[in-house]
Amino acid sequence: MTASPSSPRKILITSALPYANGPIHLGHMVEYIQTDIWSRFQKMRGNLCTYVCADDAHGTPIMLRAEAEGISPEQLIAKSSIDHQTDFAGFHIGFDHYHSTHSDENREFAALIYNRLKDKGYISRRAISQFFDPEKQMFLPDRFVKGTCPKCGAHDQYGDNCEACGATYAPTDLINPKSAVSGATPIEKDSDHLFFELGQFAEMLKTWTRGGHLQTQIANKIDEWLESGLRGWDISRDAPYFGFEIPGEQNKFFYVWLDAPIGYMSSFKAYCDQSGLDFDEYWQKDSKAELYHFIGKDIINFHALFWPAMLSGADFRTPDAVYAHGFLTVDGQKMSKSRGTFIMAKTYLEHLNPEYLRYYFAAKLTSRIDDIDLNLEDFAQRVNSDLVGKVINIASRCAGFVTKKFDGKLAASLSPSAAELYAGFVDKSQEIANLYEQREYSHAMREIMALADKANEYIADTAPWVLAKTEGKEAELHESVSVGLNLFRVLMNYLAPVLPKTAAEAREFLNIQDSSWDAITQPLLNHKINPFNALMTRLEMTSIEKMVEASASSLGAKSAPDGKKDDPKPKKTHNQSEHPMTAENTLPTAISAEFDPLAATIGIEEFAKIDLRIAKIVHAEAVPEADKLVKLTLDIGFEQRQVFAGIKAAYEPEALIGKLTVMVANLAPRKMRFGVSEGMVLAAGPGGSDLYILNPDDGAKPGMRVK
């Protein structure tokens, strides 16, 4: 749909709620940047668009982390809210309201929805058996149980899946299970739980999920779940638990995933109370307003099954659409703490312009759910080529002539050919608007940059720097630079949803206030502009390298037990570190890639911290500038690492490819002249050609721990 001045659309959009148990990283920012671009575009089109979000503030991990830090959960989530909102503001995410699920509004809506579902017979009660920590006196979510994998024998594995072999199982299948909270051996214990009977909504969900509300790939996946049958969803947790107590129950709390999506409603309600908007107009069953959720593909089951069923059962409207996106990789691989590519939003903002990333993500994002890759070299090249070289360069090439030669005033009229060129740029407005509307940002960026190429061709053809030196060419010069700046204005208007700060600075330079999508209909003629200041500078690889180094140096930060919320079967996503490198398992600083044996005397406790892993050599090449070094790419199951090993005299690099070896996986990264070494390969022998890397037998698999 598109808007007309007489009928602006009423739109409510949300992003998934960030969990209040940790900081925002670049994987998260894919979603918030995607949503913010769409929100800003809708507002430019004249629609009444409201963008709300909130911190997801309940669950076991928050309770335990607060306890570990010696503060209350309320203090922890208050601090997280400040940190999150600071990061979002740094990336120019323009929420209309930011709230918390630990709020009076959310408590009231959670109770209202639960009671309506209960009154209609959609809530049942039955006993379940689960692990219980006898020391902490609490039931344990799967991610808070660790033990030996029943499939491959790998130690220290989570209660839902093995990181070494990839097997999935129940926590009770673990060998020698231990509580990740206290270290105690858990016991099995029964407890009554409350269930939302999702199966009663099977027909409703079949209709809704095939009604154009989901992307095709997501709808197909939902079909598989629907065909296999829907079971009751456990919506209760036993005390102790940080959340809302269930009405009519004692020591029973709403599972965090029940009240988390309700946070969309409560955040909007808080905004309505401030702004005067009518909450019911947006959420009543027959609402004509539009409702859209932007989420990651890992939480689609909650948003495309549980959430619409809850809303329907409680007599609220369902979403017009749920838009899922893929995950973020960096340089083609999963975000990695050891490589410095697990980049926190705060770390990025300390080194780079946030609009570089907003543009790069926009240039990659489509309406599909494909993962996107942040290739750091391509990142720098694209920012410099597109934004600095093509767009900003237009203004910098033209502004000086207008200021010096024409007292800062643009030409009073345009020749027919110049007017036709400008009209051609404006004629692209609807096409680009449609691409934004359809979330085809990458296609929109290509169209805008094609226009930028045309603008630069015009400037190159008219050559204002030549006209300025040629007597009697003042009129041609005036038109050339005036057209150039008008084309720049059009480009910045099209880019405004992506580059809000730079677009605002461009309007200030051009001395205009109108930021609407249709503001460019007519060119600026006989118009006074302000002096030009650089709007954007080149992105240097050295700045990116400093950001990566700063990210790698922070990998020793200690965190609470792993887990986003306490989903019984959470998927590993960009919201979780695949292999946390915490202070407990990093090597003592006495050991390095070139350690002094006299300085490396350690106790058995420190030695036990060394994480030895089976690694497969997927690539090997000699380092030409070094006499002894071979650069290895090692697959350790959950990610790939780059390691420099002094074994050139003993091996032809090509002969190593495909072999298994043993590496120290939790050695702090070491920056060398040739790159960053992310571990150490174990080898033995007198040296030179008599040096032998350790070769495990054929039963070993990449990622398995060596004990």
Side-chain angles (χ1 to χ4, degrees):
M1 287 186 289
T2 56
S4 68
S6 59
S7 60
R9 295 155 58 189
K10 293 183 178 180
I11 305 171
L12 173 59
I13 60 177
T14 75
S15 298
L17 312 185
Y19 200 41
N21 192 35
I24 304 298
H25 57 66
L26 296 195
H28 296 124
M29 290 311 305
V30 172
E31 180 171 308
Y32 301 100
I33 288 173
Q34 181 189 36
T35 318
D36 185 70
I37 290 171
W38 208 70
S39 171
R40 289 180 182 276
F41 163 73
Q42 297 296 349
K43 291 173 180 178
M44 286 183 71
R45 296 286 280 173
N47 295 318
L48 180 57
C49 179
T50 306
Y51 179 16
V52 300
C53 196
D55 268 345
D56 185 358
H58 290 156
T60 302
I62 286 174
M63 178 182 72
L64 293 176
R65 179 175 171 183
E67 181 180 304
E69 295 187 10
I71 59 177
S72 69
E74 288 83 0
Q75 288 173 309
L76 174 63
I77 62 178
K79 179 181 180 301
S80 291
S81 180
I82 293 171
D83 292 343
H84 288 177
Q85 292 187 67
T86 299
D87 289 341
F88 288 137
F91 278 96
H92 312 314
I93 307 301
F95 300 118
D96 290 288
H97 187 71
Y98 195 86
H99 209 52
S100 170
T101 60
H102 192 64
S103 65
D104 291 339
E105 295 90 351
N106 213 44
R107 184 191 301 273
E108 291 168 7
F109 278 114
L112 174 65
I113 289 174
Y114 169 78
N115 284 328
R116 286 184 178 180
L117 296 175
K118 182 181 177 182
D119 291 344
K120 293 184 178 183
Y122 298 134
I123 303 296
S124 64
R125 181 190 305 267
R126 55 182 177 269
I128 65 169
S129 179
Q130 61 189 123
F131 269 144
F132 182 82
D133 186 324
E135 289 190 13
K136 292 292 292 184
Q137 289 291 298
M138 63 178 288
F139 285 96
L140 296 169
D142 295 357
R143 295 290 282 184
F144 289 85
V145 182
K146 286 193 172 185
T148 300
C149 173
K151 306 292 185 181
C152 72
H155 298 288
D156 200 32
Q157 297 304 310
Y158 288 112
D160 58 349
N161 72 285
C162 176
E163 290 187 336
C165 71
T168 58
Y169 40 74
T172 50
D173 295 332
L174 281 174
I175 300 169
N176 192 28
K178 298 290 182 184
S179 166
V181 182
S182 70
T185 299
I187 60 174
E188 287 190 63
K189 189 173 180 179
D190 289 345
S191 174
D192 280 352
H193 275 234
L194 298 167
F195 289 78
F196 173 47
E197 293 301 337
L198 191 63
Q200 297 189 42
F201 293 86
E203 292 305 315
M204 171 262 162
L205 289 170
K206 286 178 183 177
T207 301
W208 186 84
T209 57
R210 280 300 178 186
H213 306 292
L214 304 173
Q215 293 130 301
T216 301
Q217 291 168 280
I218 297 298
N220 291 340
K221 183 62 180 177
I222 296 293
D223 273 353
E224 295 177 17
W225 291 334
L226 290 170
E227 289 171 8
S228 64
L230 299 175
R231 295 174 295 177
W233 177 39
D234 188 347
I235 61 169
S236 64
R237 292 297 183 266
D238 293 287
Y241 191 82
F242 183 62
F244 294 141
E245 196 160 8
I246 299 176
E249 302 289 333
Q250 287 189 339
N251 295 323
K252 298 286 183 186
F253 294 81
F254 285 127
Y255 172 42
V256 58
W257 266 112
L258 180 127
D259 67 61
I262 295 173
Y264 303 142
M265 303 174 75
S266 62
S267 182
F268 182 65
K269 180 62 167 66
Y271 180 69
C272 288
D273 291 343
Q274 297 173 9
S275 65
L277 287 181
D278 184 349
F279 176 88
D280 291 336
E281 185 179 3
Y282 285 77
W283 285 98
Q284 63 191 5
K285 206 165 184 92
D286 58 351
S287 171
K288 298 296 187 284
E290 301 171 46
L291 172 63
Y292 303 99
H293 301 308
F294 287 74
I295 63 166
K297 63 183 178 182
D298 55 319
I299 54 174
I300 191 65
N301 57 329
F302 295 105
H303 286 80
L305 288 175
F306 305 148
W307 180 230
M310 286 167 54
L311 289 169
S312 177
D315 294 326
F316 287 107
R317 57 89 46 80
T318 53
D320 286 281
V322 175
Y323 296 135
H325 60 82
F327 300 149
L328 177 70
T329 58
V330 180
D331 285 341
Q333 300 179 42
K334 293 176 182 177
M335 294 170 61
S336 164
K337 290 186 176 181
S338 63
R339 287 193 299 272
T341 56
F342 198 93
I343 303 167
M344 299 301 168
K346 179 181 178 182
T347 306
Y348 178 99
L349 292 169
E350 288 171 349
H351 293 86
L352 302 177
N353 183 335
E355 295 198 328
Y356 295 160
L357 192 69
R358 287 181 65 104
Y359 175 74
Y360 192 77
F361 281 174
K364 295 272 188 171
L365 281 164
T366 70
S367 62
R368 300 182 299 276
I369 58 171
D370 306 327
D371 295 347
I372 67 172
D373 184 53
L374 171 58
N375 180 288
L376 295 175
E377 289 189 3
D378 178 60
F379 174 44
Q381 189 277 331
R382 188 171 300 210
V383 166
N384 292 335
S385 172
D386 290 1
L387 296 184
V388 180
K390 291 183 180 181
V391 179
I392 303 301
N393 191 44
I394 297 171
S396 63
R397 294 169 82 182
C398 298
F401 292 114
V402 176
T403 301
K404 295 175 184 177
K405 296 282 189 177
F406 306 105
D407 195 28
K409 186 169 285 192
L410 300 177
S413 62
L414 299 180
S415 65
S417 61
E420 183 180 359
L421 176 63
Y422 183 83
F425 274 53
V426 174
D427 287 344
K428 280 285 186 178
S429 171
Q430 191 57 51
E431 179 182 350
I432 293 171
N434 290 340
L435 292 171
Y436 273 120
E437 179 72 40
Q438 297 157 11
R439 306 175 328 284
E440 294 290 351
Y441 300 163
S442 64
H443 191 172
M445 296 308 104
R446 289 196 300 273
E447 293 296 329
I448 295 169
M449 289 306 141
L451 292 176
D453 287 336
K454 287 185 178 180
N456 281 289
E457 288 173 10
Y458 169 81
I459 294 170
D461 290 343
T462 55
W465 51 90
V466 175
L467 295 173
K469 298 178 181 179
T470 306
E471 189 174 349
K473 295 292 184 178
E474 286 81 6
E476 290 93 328
L477 171 63
H478 203 186
E479 177 170 274
S480 171
V481 294
S482 297
V483 169
L485 290 180
N486 270 288
L487 299 182
F488 167 74
R489 177 200 180 199
V490 174
L491 295 172
M492 286 309 307
N493 210 59
Y494 291 157
L495 286 169
V498 180
L499 309 175
K501 182 173 183 291
T502 304
E505 291 172 347
R507 289 194 297 273
E508 183 177 348
F509 152 61
L510 293 170
N511 195 24
I512 54 178
Q513 285 76 45
D514 192 347
S515 60
S516 69
W517 188 260
D518 295 331
I520 55 172
T521 304
Q522 298 297 324
L524 301 174
L525 298 175
N526 198 29
H527 176 82
K528 183 87 169 181
I529 65 170
N530 294 315
F532 178 76
N533 295 309
L535 298 175
M536 192 172 283
T537 57
R538 285 180 55 82
L539 172 54
E540 302 296 340
M541 280 303 298
T542 53
S543 298
I544 294 176
E545 290 164 0
K546 288 178 181 177
M547 176 186 68
V548 170
E549 289 173 8
S551 297
S553 68
S554 67
L555 66 87
K558 186 174 180 179
S559 64
D562 188 26
K564 183 186 186 295
K565 305 175 185 171
D566 49 352
D567 182 4
K569 294 289 181 186
K571 301 294 187 289
K572 290 203 242 355
T573 73
H574 62 273
N575 293 325
Q576 298 173 348
S577 167
E578 288 289 317
H579 180 62
M581 302 287 281
T582 63
E584 288 85 359
N585 64 6
T586 50
L587 279 170
T589 55
I591 299 180
S592 69
E594 298 177 358
F595 71 88
D596 176 357
L598 297 178
T601 302
I602 59 175
I604 189 65
E605 296 83 2
E606 288 181 300
F607 182 75
K609 297 177 183 177
I610 300 174
D611 185 7
L612 300 179
R613 297 267 179 168
I614 304 297
K616 183 177 181 180
I617 303 171
V618 296
H619 186 70
E621 62 182 73
V623 179
E625 306 92 332
D627 295 333
K628 301 178 181 179
L629 292 182
V630 174
K631 183 169 77 170
L632 304 173
T633 302
L634 304 176
D635 180 0
I636 53 173
F638 46 83
E639 66 178 9
Q640 292 187 357
R641 301 277 187 85
Q642 174 179 278
V643 171
F644 291 92
I647 57 175
K648 186 187 286 188
Y651 294 94
E652 289 294 328
E654 294 78 10
L656 292 169
I657 297 175
K659 291 184 179 295
L660 296 177
T661 187
V662 178
M663 75 169 294
V664 180
N666 61 337
L667 185 66
R670 179 170 181 251
K671 179 136 173 102
M672 306 176 71
R673 184 159 58 94
F674 319 103
V676 177
S677 188
E678 301 170 328
M680 178 193 295
V681 171
L682 299 191
S689 59
D690 295 321
L691 190 63
Y692 309 99
I693 61 173
L694 300 190
N695 292 126
D697 60 37
D698 292 337
K701 295 181 179 179
M704 289 178 60
R705 280 196 172 94
V706 178
K707 295 291 185 181

